[in-house]
Amino acid sequence: MTDIKSLTLDELKEEMAALNEKSFKAGQIFSWLHRHGADSFDEMTNLSKNLRNNLQKKYDIYTCTIEKKLVSVYDNTVKYLFRLHDGELIESVVMQYKYGYTICVSSQVGCKMGCRFCASGIAGFVRHLSASEILSQVYVAQKDLGIRISHIVMMGVGEPLDNFDNVMRFLSLISDVNGLNISMRNISLSTCGLVPGIYNLMEKKLQLTLSISLHAPNDEIRSKTMPVNDRWNIEELLKACRDYTKATSRRISFEYAMISGVNDSVACAAELAGRLKGMLCHVNLIPVNAVKERDYQKSSDSTIAAFIKVLEKNGINVTVRRTLGSDINASCGQLRRGEGPK
Ligand code: SAH
């Protein structure tokens, strides 16, 4: 059976040709799947019964079902635990901002990267998500909340550049004018720093925002917290970032989790500023979220303020990420496979 929701419109047209169906049927099916979030062929009422039966025999419409849903009493952030067709569980978070609704989607079941401060990889890696499984997180959340999602961040569980082809397919489908038509400018993709993946992404020349999980100003600290740094160090990573900006003219966003006593001194700030000098970039500080299996603590407000001061003095654009959904464990690094929030 073919996963029909992962097919592009052009591929669907080829499928229709193979079934001796008119090409415009592909557009109708695409619209049902991607605009209306249909999860059965029976819903596609402008198709003949016969065609619907034939489609049923040849294709699966993979979707996800809501296993658990938690709504923050503070800010209406919604965290979903979704069950996939094979029983695996993934998480997504919907946040409301002034400019609209943003969904944070997962790209893999589990994660291989093993960042020490992150909960996502604690249970290891299970499998990649297909394009349709990443899309379904958006479609199901939208339908359930009765809203239109306008922004996407690929910052849930998983390393998107480790699932490159499926993620590229997802991006193409979610931004398709015949689907949800979400602008690339409203999409962020976050990576822990897979350098070849950054170059592959650069080739695509997409207008999305690339976020780099940097989290340290030097290799000594970064290697202690992020195993990926032993494969591609900060110098190689920042070179890839400079090349990326040159090729795409897009500003890079550096994520920096502030961990008490690990990477949050003013000396770290000065070193970071030195390394990022002259780059078209933005630094996003995230007070690290405590993960119960790890003993990292978030930096104090005064430490963060001092860190910001140094960056700003050096002309680096910096913000602190607002914490949303703190009562439902919805924050970065707290999403995990196979476990409902407490
Ligand atoms: N694998 C990708 C995307 C998923 S993580 C990446 O590494 O970028 C999304 C962001 O949350 C990353 O910047 C990640 O480093 C950060 N993060 C993970 N655990 C965290 C924690 N406990 N506190 C704060 N941020 C965390």
Side-chain angles (χ1 to χ4, degrees), residues 117-118 154-156 158-160 190-192 213 215 255 257 286-289 291 332-333:
F117 44 79
C118 181
M154 303 206 76
M155 293 187 179
E159 168 50 50
S190 183
T191 177
C192 65
S213 298
H215 303 318
E255 308 293 307
I286 316 162
V288 79
N289 291 296
V291 170
C332 275

Side-chain angles (χ1 to χ4, degrees), residues 53-205:
N53 283 339
N54 287 341
L55 293 172
Q56 189 101 44
K57 280 183 217 140
K58 197 166 171 206
Y59 305 100
D60 269 322
I61 304 178
Y62 289 125
T63 184
C64 51
T65 53
I66 302 170
E67 182 78 14
K68 222 178 226 178
K69 173 182 172 185
L70 285 150
V71 184
S72 167
V73 296
Y74 300 141
D75 48 45
N76 284 332
T77 295
V78 183
K79 174 164 156 171
Y80 288 102
L81 183 67
F82 288 125
R83 191 172 288 282
L84 303 173
H85 63 94
D86 64 353
E88 291 295 347
L89 294 165
I90 54 167
E91 293 185 27
S92 321
V93 179
V94 179
M95 295 154 284
Q96 190 175 5
Y97 291 101
K98 281 197 284 293
Y99 49 77
Y101 288 96
T102 297
I103 188 165
C104 174
V105 293
S106 294
S107 56
Q108 296 176 320
V109 182
C111 185
K112 299 174 195 165
M113 299 300 138
C115 300
R116 297 283 306 153
F117 44 79
C118 181
S120 301
I122 288 173
F125 172 77
V126 179
R127 68 171 176 85
H128 295 304
L129 295 185
S130 63
S132 67
E133 288 172 324
I134 310 175
L135 288 166
S136 294
Q137 299 169 54
V138 185
Y139 299 167
V140 172
Q142 233 183 207
K143 221 182 218 180
D144 178 59
L145 296 171
I147 55 163
R148 169 89 162 86
I149 286 169
S150 56
H151 290 68
I152 297 193
V153 294
M154 303 206 76
M155 293 187 179
V157 176
E159 168 50 50
L161 296 184
D162 183 47
N163 184 15
F164 194 84
D165 293 344
N166 289 333
V167 166
M168 291 308 119
R169 193 171 267 277
F170 161 74
L171 291 172
S172 140
L173 289 165
I174 200 83
S175 59
D176 195 302
V177 290
N178 300 296
L180 281 196
N181 192 15
I182 295 183
S183 158
M184 282 287 174
R185 289 183 178 268
N186 291 358
I187 302 177
S188 293
L189 184 151
S190 183
T191 177
C192 65
L194 302 188
V195 166
I198 294 171
Y199 282 105
N200 289 338
L201 184 67
M202 182 176 99
E203 297 297 317
K204 306 274 177 196
K205 296 227 173 12

Side-chain angles (χ1 to χ4, degrees), residues 172-328:
S172 140
L173 289 165
I174 200 83
S175 59
D176 195 302
V177 290
N178 300 296
L180 281 196
N181 192 15
I182 295 183
S183 158
M184 282 287 174
R185 289 183 178 268
N186 291 358
I187 302 177
S188 293
L189 184 151
S190 183
T191 177
C192 65
L194 302 188
V195 166
I198 294 171
Y199 282 105
N200 289 338
L201 184 67
M202 182 176 99
E203 297 297 317
K204 306 274 177 196
K205 296 227 173 12
L206 303 178
Q207 290 298 298
L208 52 71
T209 299
L210 177 62
S211 290
I212 303 285
S213 298
L214 190 59
H215 303 318
N218 58 49
D219 289 325
E220 195 193 335
I221 299 175
R222 195 163 193 265
S223 287
K224 269 191 213 145
T225 46
M226 301 180 73
V228 69
N229 199 65
D230 293 334
R231 182 67 187 81
W232 296 284
N233 64 23
I234 296 187
E235 198 179 315
E236 290 169 285
L237 176 57
L238 293 184
K239 177 174 185 315
C241 291
R242 286 192 194 91
D243 291 343
Y244 186 90
T245 305
K246 215 169 173 187
T248 61
S249 307
R250 300 289 296 162
R251 182 174 82 157
I252 288 190
S253 174
F254 288 103
E255 308 293 307
Y256 196 104
M258 294 288 283
I259 312 174
S260 180
V262 174
N263 62 356
D264 62 347
S265 66
V266 288
C268 284
E271 198 176 356
L272 180 67
R275 295 202 89 140
L276 300 184
K277 225 179 181 78
M279 288 181 78
L280 182 62
C281 70
H282 172 95
V283 174
N284 196 210
L285 300 178
I286 316 162
V288 79
N289 291 296
V291 170
K292 73 173 187 314
E293 291 83 350
R294 307 278 187 251
D295 54 5
Y296 291 120
Q297 299 300 323
K298 65 176 68 165
S299 308
S300 67
D301 289 349
S302 60
T303 306
I304 295 177
F307 198 94
I308 291 175
K309 217 166 147 189
V310 174
L311 290 183
E312 284 181 340
K313 220 170 65 198
N314 285 280
I316 309 267
N317 199 310
V318 53
T319 48
V320 180
R321 176 161 320 152
R322 199 156 59 100
T323 304
L324 291 176
S326 53
D327 52 335
I328 56 168

